[in-house]
Amino acid sequence: MKENTLVFELILNIGLLVLVANLLSKFRLIQNLLVQEQRSFKSQTLLSVIFGGVIVLSTYTGIDVGSYSLNTRVIGAMTAGLLGGPIVGLYASLIGAVYVYFFSSPQAFAMASAFSTMLFGLLGGGFYPYFQRGKWKYKDLFLLTCFAEVCDMVSLLRFTVPVQMALNTILEISVPMIVMNAVGILIFISSFNNVFVQQDLERSRQLQQASELMKKCLPQLRQGLENQENMERFARIILEETDWAGVMVTNKNEIIADCQRETSEQLQPEAGIPDIGVRAMETRELETMYRVPHSSTWYECMKDYSLVAAPIVIREQAIGCLIVWVKKQWVFRQSELELLSHLVLLSSYQIALAELERQKDMCRKAEFKALQFQVNPHFLFNALNTVSCVCREDPERARELLIILANYFRYNLDYDAYMVPMEEEMDHVRDYLELEQARFEEKLVVTYDVPEYMDIRIPTLILQPIVENAVRYGMNREGKRVVSICVRETADGYLVQIRDEGKGIGDDILEKLRSGQAIGNSIGLSNVHKRMKSTYGEEHGLRITSSGQGTCVELHFG
């Protein structure tokens, strides 16, 4: 009967702790403290005091069994470590151990009880990574608590004098205390499961919010941080979609956009970037500031707010910072910190992609300019020499050739468009071949098989280098240069074939072309090959078929 009464009273004590646990789990402050991954000293201290109080309550409500007080302090001490981590487990159990040592009775068990209380907290903290985030393995937790209670019994034997009293006490209380406390900790810690379920729901909501937010923000980031108007819209969108009091965007040196709610005191941009933003860019880590120092120029307008700063990092270099401020609370909400981290991470990716596109565009333009300025001096000399010869025999024809030459160089040097109608590119090729025809006369034979109308735009100066190559190296065995240009419409674009009857292109040159290397002193052929791939994809470079009877170069525009 006495044993039944003991078990019943122990159940009542466990029920009291479960009630306390349910109450604690309902407080928003406790929820925020538990789900924080990196807690401040203040947060660690508050959790330690709360769980230390649970240990004190467990000890105070102990059941007197002969000379020993049967209690549930193992539940509070181990839970402090399991939920709060090693630091909270250490501090909370230290608070409990001090109370047990000075205020529990009888004093014969004080040292043993204080030692085991510390052991419970350290044991829970040691298993914190294994049991954290609500993914409890209840069988393992049950066995761990049984092990902790066994250690408690061993400490009673080790530190209690006389030993016989300790042994008698252990024989009397060991079974109900081990079993009931092991079951009690499962019920107690399950009361906090709802906290982590809510955290998972909050994270899902926050990820969805970040996704929706980025859909609206991405268009504003395509020009990087340089466009102030876009950055102001970016800050305004964030402010409209969140409950933050203000948003600020900076580059390395200055504030480029700031947006606040009407209820908050307007900031003064001339004060410079807040210290937290400078520190975040230096450390390349998310920084939080609960209280602005009195010495800061931001103190007056920020004294009622907490600040969070996240750096915008590109290629491991901070190029700017996103700073938000919220109404001052006891702790920062983890969901807000994660939302800001996701937002800045995605923004960094978008800016990096925009920068990559800009660099690719600059590269294409550089290649284009290189091709534009690749004026063959021999071609110019030969063209002018041809015109001078024609002047003596046919001044009108010489005048036509000068006009063609002027048009050729005007197109070659002054055209800034990257994509042009295919008819214009073909006209430029005709101008080139007309000048070469005047030079070689009947030794140059050119044939065209081109549609009258071609509804497509192609890169500027993409055909002339191939045609020039055919004229230069396309001499057949009869001493004639035969060049044919054929354009065929396909299902997804146009196929251009440029043929000659020369001795062909060597395998070594073709291999260099495929590998992207420069060919001799000319960059024309490899330049066209790269431009085709960068414009139409890796599968749409030059296709060259070459033998001793001639060469055929195919370009597919789609």
Side-chain angles (χ1 to χ4, degrees):
M1 186 67 182
K2 182 179 180 182
E3 184 174 335
N4 291 338
T5 303
L6 185 66
V7 171
F8 178 74
E9 291 185 2
L10 196 57
I11 290 174
L12 288 179
N13 281 9
I14 293 173
L16 176 63
L17 287 186
V18 172
L19 178 61
V20 171
N22 275 282
L23 289 174
L24 290 175
S25 66
K26 296 297 185 292
F27 286 103
R28 186 69 176 179
L29 173 62
I30 306 300
Q31 294 174 4
N32 291 336
L33 288 172
L34 289 177
V35 299
Q36 280 183 328
E37 294 182 0
Q38 294 182 344
R39 301 187 186 94
S40 65
F41 176 76
K42 181 174 63 177
S43 300
Q44 300 272 25
T45 303
L46 181 57
L47 275 180
S48 300
V49 170
I50 291 171
F51 282 107
V54 172
I55 300 172
V56 171
L57 178 64
S58 302
T59 306
Y60 180 77
T61 58
I63 307 163
D64 291 332
V65 180
S67 58
Y68 186 76
S69 178
L70 182 63
N71 55 64
T72 55
R73 57 192 161 82
V74 65
I75 297 177
M78 285 192 61
T79 304
L82 291 171
L83 291 178
I87 301 298
V88 173
L90 173 63
Y91 291 160
S93 61
L94 181 60
I95 293 172
V98 170
Y99 178 84
V100 168
Y101 185 78
F102 287 104
F103 299 102
S104 66
S105 59
Q107 280 297 308
F109 296 109
M111 177 60 74
S113 298
F115 175 81
S116 59
T117 302
M118 288 291 300
L119 181 64
F120 297 154
L122 294 175
L123 196 60
F127 280 85
Y128 170 74
Y130 184 68
F131 288 105
Q132 66 173 321
R133 297 296 169 222
K135 299 176 176 63
W136 318 116
K137 298 180 180 179
Y138 288 103
K139 183 183 71 172
D140 296 345
L141 188 56
F142 181 89
L143 294 175
L144 181 64
T145 308
C146 291
F147 173 74
E149 285 291 9
V150 170
C151 293
D152 186 23
M153 304 306 166
V154 172
S155 66
L156 286 177
L157 287 174
R158 177 66 181 82
F159 293 103
T160 304
V161 179
V163 176
Q164 188 60 44
M165 183 175 68
L167 184 59
N168 293 337
T169 302
I170 290 171
L171 293 175
E172 186 175 3
I173 68 169
S174 59
V175 174
M177 193 166 179
I178 291 173
V179 175
M180 295 307 297
N181 278 340
V183 173
I185 197 170
L186 300 182
I187 302 172
F188 183 87
I189 208 164
S190 296
S191 302
F192 291 92
N193 274 349
N194 188 53
V195 175
F196 299 105
V197 171
Q198 288 182 355
Q199 182 199 21
D200 290 338
L201 292 174
E202 182 72 13
R203 280 183 172 176
S204 299
R205 187 195 66 80
Q206 172 251 322
L207 285 173
Q208 184 178 3
Q209 183 183 14
S211 176
E212 293 297 324
L213 188 57
M214 285 310 300
K215 286 181 183 178
K216 298 179 180 181
C217 290
L218 285 179
Q220 318 306 325
L221 299 170
R222 287 175 181 162
Q223 296 181 357
L225 300 179
E226 289 78 14
N227 191 306
Q228 186 170 359
E229 185 178 346
N230 283 351
M231 288 299 97
E232 289 176 354
R233 282 199 292 266
F234 173 69
R236 199 175 303 114
I237 290 171
I238 295 174
L239 197 65
E240 291 171 355
E241 296 294 322
T242 63
D243 57 359
W244 294 331
V247 178
M248 179 184 297
V249 185
T250 79
N251 57 23
K252 288 284 288 184
N253 303 311
E254 61 182 351
I255 299 169
I256 53 179
D258 70 275
C259 189
Q260 308 97 40
R261 298 194 186 280
E262 294 180 0
T263 55
S264 64
E265 186 174 344
Q266 295 296 302
L267 301 182
Q268 305 300 321
E270 61 269 15
I273 300 175
D275 294 339
I276 187 175
V278 176
R279 190 164 68 249
M281 286 188 282
E282 289 175 351
T283 61
R284 301 197 299 277
E285 298 286 345
L286 186 140
E287 297 285 342
T288 59
M289 181 182 288
Y290 179 73
R291 182 180 292 105
V292 178
H294 287 269
S295 58
S296 173
T297 53
W298 296 92
Y299 176 74
E300 283 302 320
C301 55
M302 297 300 300
K303 59 185 177 183
D304 297 325
Y305 298 95
S306 300
L307 282 79
V308 186
I312 301 172
V313 179
I314 306 295
R315 292 189 297 272
E316 299 185 358
Q317 294 293 324
I319 64 168
C321 188
L322 180 62
I323 305 173
V324 303
W325 52 96
V326 297
K327 272 292 186 181
K328 193 171 293 183
Q329 303 172 5
W330 182 266
V331 293
F332 290 104
R333 284 194 296 177
Q334 187 68 23
S335 59
E336 290 182 339
L337 299 181
E338 291 184 358
L339 174 59
L340 183 60
S341 296
H342 287 307
L343 181 61
V344 168
L345 182 62
L346 293 174
S347 298
S348 299
Y349 286 152
Q350 177 61 24
I351 293 173
L353 287 173
E355 177 67 16
L356 179 61
E357 286 299 319
R358 192 172 71 88
Q359 293 292 339
K360 287 172 64 177
D361 185 56
M362 289 175 62
C363 183
R364 284 196 299 265
K365 289 181 178 179
E367 292 175 347
F368 175 43
K369 288 298 181 183
L371 190 60
Q372 278 186 303
F373 288 108
Q374 189 193 354
V375 179
N376 191 328
H378 295 291
F379 168 74
L380 177 59
F381 173 79
N382 291 331
L384 292 175
N385 193 43
T386 300
V387 172
S388 67
C389 293
V390 174
C391 279
R392 301 189 190 100
E393 302 174 2
D394 191 348
E396 186 61 29
R397 175 58 176 164
R399 178 176 175 275
E400 291 177 2
L401 291 176
L402 283 174
I403 293 174
I404 292 172
L405 183 62
N407 289 336
Y408 174 84
F409 279 105
R410 184 180 298 113
Y411 186 92
N412 219 61
L413 299 177
D414 293 342
Y415 218 127
D416 291 329
Y418 185 73
M419 303 292 286
V420 296
M422 194 168 185
E423 289 93 340
E424 292 186 14
E425 184 69 10
M426 287 302 303
D427 288 342
H428 179 64
V429 169
R430 287 190 179 94
D431 286 342
Y432 168 75
L433 289 173
E434 186 76 18
L435 293 168
E436 291 292 64
Q437 192 99 51
R439 173 189 171 196
F440 291 110
E441 297 180 338
E442 71 277 358
K443 291 184 179 181
L444 175 60
V445 180
V446 181
T447 60
Y448 296 95
D449 184 4
V450 179
E452 292 184 6
Y453 179 71
M454 294 168 287
D455 184 20
I456 191 172
R457 299 177 74 87
I458 65 175
T460 315
L461 299 174
I462 202 75
L463 298 178
Q464 187 267 336
I466 308 301
V467 174
E468 181 180 349
N469 207 60
V471 172
R472 185 181 301 175
Y473 302 108
M475 183 183 296
N476 61 17
R477 295 176 181 177
E478 298 174 1
K480 290 186 176 182
R481 303 169 191 270
V482 179
V483 178
S484 70
I485 301 173
C486 176
V487 179
R488 291 281 181 267
E489 186 173 2
T490 64
D492 56 348
Y494 286 85
L495 177 66
V496 178
Q497 294 177 320
I498 301 172
R499 301 176 184 272
D500 65 60
E501 296 182 359
K503 61 180 181 180
I505 301 176
D507 293 338
D508 57 334
I509 296 178
L510 292 177
E511 183 59 34
K512 286 183 178 180
L513 179 66
R514 294 188 191 99
S515 62
Q517 301 179 45
I519 302 172
N521 295 323
S522 173
I523 63 170
L525 205 59
S526 58
N527 194 314
V528 171
H529 183 58
K530 290 178 182 178
R531 290 176 67 203
M532 287 293 294
K533 291 198 298 182
S534 66
T535 305
Y536 299 103
E538 286 294 322
E539 302 299 322
H540 289 81
L542 296 180
R543 297 177 184 175
I544 301 177
T545 305
S546 186
S547 67
Q549 284 72 46
T551 300
C552 176
V553 179
E554 293 184 354
L555 301 91
H556 185 269
F557 303 100

